[in-house]
Amino acid sequence: MKPWELLDVTRTPDGSTLELRRHDGEYVIRAEAGYDLMTSRMHGSEDAMMPLACPAPRPGARVLIGGLGMGYTLRATLDL
């Protein structure tokens, strides 16, 4: 079994840490307490969010996406 690889660590304004880890093609953003915030394995809610929020954007429409995370909502927006 392959071990998780720690790619980077950052400190948040409140002093806690966030880690970016990789394991066999899967990526995880993990909080200090071991809580997985985002994973590349499951992102269906991010994929579904944009078509629900803006089902028929006008050509040239501008959309603000907050908290990009791993970019799945951005990808869904660009696909529209």
Side-chain angles (χ1 to χ4, degrees):
M1 183 168 146
K2 292 183 181 180
W4 281 91
E5 177 184 0
L6 179 62
L7 300 175
D8 204 359
V9 178
T10 190
R11 191 159 300 280
T12 64
D14 71 357
S16 60
T17 59
L18 294 176
E19 301 174 347
L20 176 61
R21 294 181 169 268
R22 174 175 55 196
H23 177 264
D24 201 23
E26 177 184 352
Y27 292 86
V28 172
I29 298 174
R30 182 170 289 161
E32 188 169 307
Y35 180 72
D36 293 344
L37 300 176
M38 294 198 80
T39 176
S40 62
R41 183 186 312 166
M42 297 185 312
H43 51 84
S45 62
E46 291 88 351
D47 295 339
M49 186 181 322
M50 193 56 208
L52 292 173
C54 190
R58 296 182 313 270
R62 300 170 109 189
V63 177
L64 175 65
I65 302 171
L68 290 176
M70 291 189 170
Y72 292 109
T73 304
L74 174 60
R75 178 75 264 161
T77 303
L78 294 173
D79 288 346
L80 280 176

